[in-house]
Amino acid sequence: MTSFHFLKVALRDYRVGALTVSSKYAVGKVLSQLKPEYRTVVEYGAGNGAITKKLLEKLPEDGELFAIEINRELLGELKKIRDPRLKVVEGDVSRISEDFSLFGAKRAQAVISGIPFSFFGRERRERIILNTYRHLVPGGRFIVYQYSLLVYPLLKKIFGFCPVYFEPRNLPPYFIMAAEKCEDGSEALRARTLTLK
Ligand SMILES: C[S@@+](CC[C@H](N)C(=O)[O-])C[C@H]1O[C@@H](n2cnc3c(N)ncnc32)[C@H](O)[C@@H]1O
């Protein structure tokens, strides 16, 4: 898919939330947050596969990648990627993140997300982040790339640990947040959700 074609898709569907695909620099920085031992990875908002394709190059042979996308045209592009480790899932992350077994995953070691959180209300953002936290194994990461730091306070509150990186070589520049679930996941979450408004 050319950049011009992606732009046309984005102009037809506001949910795409970007006019260009992620740059190679942004893709590299997002993927550098994956630990080599990760085998089960979920991608929210895979688009036309800019991250998906590079991620497959890094993923171990026995790994699996579930790429979730809501836009039909972009789904068509993802389905052109031939790799037995890739499962392309059509749907809305808001619903699908409630139960990963709906698309055949158990728990994930990493979730990478480019969905435009700024388009969602606070309650929806919070639900997606909490559900993602629950589906990650201890030591797993929720890697979120966005144009703003809007979800950073929520990620920090739910995960406790969330370093932030900046990639200026993207249009517009990205913030990359790598929230990590600590080893005592359930206890930590219980303590933190008590204080969530
Ligand atoms: C910023 S683009 C990122 C595309 C691609 N991953 C990249 O890095 O170039 C966000 C993607 O999320 C998808 N998306 C937006 N809302 C979604 C939702 N609720 N569920 C699933 N995908 C969604 C859009 O269609 C779009 O492809």
Side-chain angles (χ1 to χ4, degrees):
M1 175 182 255
T2 63
S3 310
F4 183 60
H5 190 181
F6 185 88
L7 176 65
K8 284 207 293 187
V9 174
L11 291 174
R12 276 197 290 267
D13 182 356
Y14 79 94
R15 296 172 305 180
V16 172
L19 297 176
T20 55
V21 297
S22 296
S23 71
K24 64 177 180 184
Y25 306 103
V27 173
K29 204 164 261 181
V30 166
L31 295 183
S32 71
Q33 294 307 313
L34 292 174
K35 297 182 191 174
E37 66 267 25
Y38 288 167
R39 278 178 164 64
T40 303
V41 180
V42 176
E43 198 186 347
Y44 292 168
N48 70 348
I51 291 178
T52 320
K53 289 176 200 158
K54 292 287 169 198
L55 205 158
L56 286 166
E57 287 173 14
K58 275 189 88 157
L59 197 69
E61 271 180 28
D62 60 346
E64 50 185 356
L65 169 59
F66 298 89
I68 301 168
E69 179 49 57
I70 203 168
N71 177 283
R72 286 264 164 90
E73 284 182 79
L74 298 176
L75 277 160
E77 291 298 311
L78 289 170
K79 285 177 184 163
K80 289 181 191 164
I81 305 171
R82 296 272 158 239
D83 191 308
R85 297 167 299 169
L86 174 67
K87 277 103 194 154
V88 176
V89 182
E90 175 173 5
D92 183 340
V93 165
S94 311
R95 199 181 59 78
I96 265 180
S97 61
E98 279 167 21
D99 184 2
F100 278 15
S101 67
L102 286 175
F103 55 88
K106 286 175 221 120
R107 294 174 93 195
Q109 283 153 328
V111 176
I112 297 179
S113 177
I115 57 170
F117 277 108
S118 55
F119 292 2
F120 310 157
R122 186 186 159 96
E123 198 194 316
R124 192 169 163 200
R125 290 198 288 268
E126 193 172 301
R127 200 156 30 87
I128 293 171
I129 296 172
L130 270 172
N131 284 330
T132 305
Y133 180 94
R134 292 198 177 99
H135 286 103
L136 280 169
V137 298
R141 286 187 179 168
F142 187 25
I143 304 158
V144 180
Y145 55 99
Q146 299 279 283
Y147 302 135
S148 82
L149 286 171
L150 176 73
V151 289
Y152 173 74
L154 211 44
L155 285 169
K156 181 85 170 73
K157 199 161 209 172
I158 292 171
F159 283 80
F161 180 65
C162 184
V164 181
Y165 306 92
F166 182 64
E167 179 46 72
R169 293 165 297 176
N170 192 73
L171 204 66
Y174 273 152
F175 291 101
I176 296 154
M177 295 158 263
E180 180 158 340
K181 182 168 178 172
C182 61
E183 297 300 323
D184 64 338
S186 58
E187 282 308 310
L189 174 64
R190 201 168 305 130
R192 282 191 212 102
T193 47
L194 284 175
T195 61
L196 272 178
K197 279 193 223 119

